[in-house]
Structures are given as structure tokens and as C-alpha cells.
Amino acid sequence: MDKIIKVYREIMTAVGIVGLVGFIISVLIQVIARTFLPVAPNWTEEAARYLFIYMVAFAGNAAVISDEYVGVEMLTEMFPKIVQKIIKIVIMAVLCVFSVFIFINCVVGPQGLLAVTPVTMVSTALLIPMKYIYLSEAFLFGCYIISFLMRIYMILTAKKEG
């Protein structure tokens, strides 16, 4: 299980980094074009937005696995270790249930984004089908479910990272 967690974290981190690099390149192209060219390309702003969305989706999961989210631990550190562990597990379980709820409503709910997105709807500048953009929400919360379950396993087995 530890190898699976490690590979999962590395994949999420690597793809998050690719999204970050793409985001930076897209913004740099826009800034350079606005400064030095007579006409700036109109696709860079949209590309930056979509790359940022997917970067957050991948990097957020890597942060859960690595326990790198910002948190207020001052209060919980006053408790004994077993209570701290229980609090962390409860927090991860609540976040997992929330992610399941969002994932289900996104994919198959009565107004699920993937269900109501018209097949012909495309982004303005890049002409990418919007279902791929909305898929990021289903991907984010679907992977969060896996990440929170892995984090609970790591807390129960007292492992810092995968």
C-alpha cells in the first residue's frame, strides 16, 4: 500500500508541476505579447485559467497525501497523541464524505455539470469542448476521495508520507 501511495503522490505532483509550468508559460506569452507585439493572442488567458484549474486539482491531492495543507494545530497539540489522531481521522472522514457528495452531484446528480453540459458547447478562444473543463471538478473530488482515504490509512499506520 505504501508503494501505491508513493506512486499516486508522485503522479499528482508531477502533473501539478506540468500544469504550473504551462500556466507560467501562458501568462508569460500574454505579458510579452501585450508589451512587445501589436496584437496579443486571445487564447493565452483562457489557457492559463484552465491550466490553473487542473493544476489545483492535481496539486491539491498531492498536498493531502503529503499532509502539507495549512492547518491550525495549536489547539489539537494540547491533547494527547491518541486524541490528536482521532481528530485528524474525523476531519479526513468528514472531508471524504463531503467529496463523495460533491462528486456524486457533479457526475450523476439532478443538475450534474457533466450531465447538463451540451456536447456542442466549446470554449471561446481555444475551442476545447467544455465537458473537459467541467470534468476537472469530477476529477478533483473523485481523487480527493482516494487521497483522504489514503491519508486516513497513513494516520492509522502512523506514517508521515507515502
Side-chain angles (χ1 to χ4, degrees), residues 22-23 26 42-53 125-126:
F23 173 77
S26 179
N42 60 351
W43 58 268
T44 54
E45 183 180 336
E46 203 170 270
R49 183 181 320 123
Y50 299 150
L51 286 165
F52 184 77
I53 289 169
L126 294 174

Side-chain angles (χ1 to χ4, degrees), residues 51-66:
L51 286 165
F52 184 77
I53 289 169
Y54 272 95
M55 175 194 63
V56 168
F58 282 96
N61 283 286
V64 170
I65 294 296
S66 300

Side-chain angles (χ1 to χ4, degrees), residues 30-88:
Q30 181 69 6
V31 169
I32 290 168
R34 283 184 181 183
T35 305
F36 299 110
L37 298 178
V39 178
N42 60 351
W43 58 268
T44 54
E45 183 180 336
E46 203 170 270
R49 183 181 320 123
Y50 299 150
L51 286 165
F52 184 77
I53 289 169
Y54 272 95
M55 175 194 63
V56 168
F58 282 96
N61 283 286
V64 170
I65 294 296
S66 300
D67 195 24
E68 293 176 352
Y69 269 122
V70 175
V72 179
E73 297 178 350
M74 201 166 75
L75 178 67
T76 59
E77 287 178 353
M78 292 184 213
F79 294 114
K81 292 288 183 193
I82 188 71
V83 175
Q84 290 179 22
K85 192 181 258 192
I86 291 169
I87 290 171
K88 286 180 182 181

